[in-house]
Amino acid sequence: MDKKNALRAGALAAGTTLMMLLLSSPASALARDDGDDPGSGLNVIETLGLFVFAPIVLYLVIAGLVMIGDKTHKKKDPTSSNIATKAEAKSEVKA
């Protein structure tokens, strides 16, 4: 990609981000609605468990399942298990 297209893409991304930030109004979250009944907040341990440890554990479980599936596929592959190779090949070419 040349410089002109890179600058155009960067300007588009920056403009889109700026417009999204300007159009969203986080101050309206402070105004309470009728019938709004929020529960108690999360403590530090619950927050870390929900947003840090749970995604890490989920990632490791999925990665482990993928590795297990990949290893069982390699054992059942008939194309690489029936190839016999010779350890030493000698040539009988005379100069």
Side-chain angles (χ1 to χ4, degrees), residues 28-81:
S28 66
L30 297 176
R32 303 299 296 253
D33 293 333
D34 291 335
D36 192 13
D37 188 21
S40 61
L42 299 175
N43 61 21
V44 174
I45 300 298
E46 292 171 337
T47 304
L48 287 175
L50 187 62
F51 294 108
V52 176
F53 300 125
I56 290 173
V57 169
L58 186 62
Y59 175 80
L60 291 175
V61 167
I62 292 172
L65 290 173
V66 169
M67 286 182 192
I68 289 171
D70 190 40
K71 286 182 182 178
T72 58
H73 175 69
K74 287 182 181 176
K75 289 181 183 177
K76 294 180 182 178
D77 189 15
T79 59
S80 62
S81 61

Side-chain angles (χ1 to χ4, degrees), residues 9-31:
L12 180 65
T16 304
T17 304
L18 183 63
M19 289 305 294
M20 292 298 287
L21 286 173
L22 291 174
L23 291 176
S24 65
S25 100
S28 66
L30 297 176

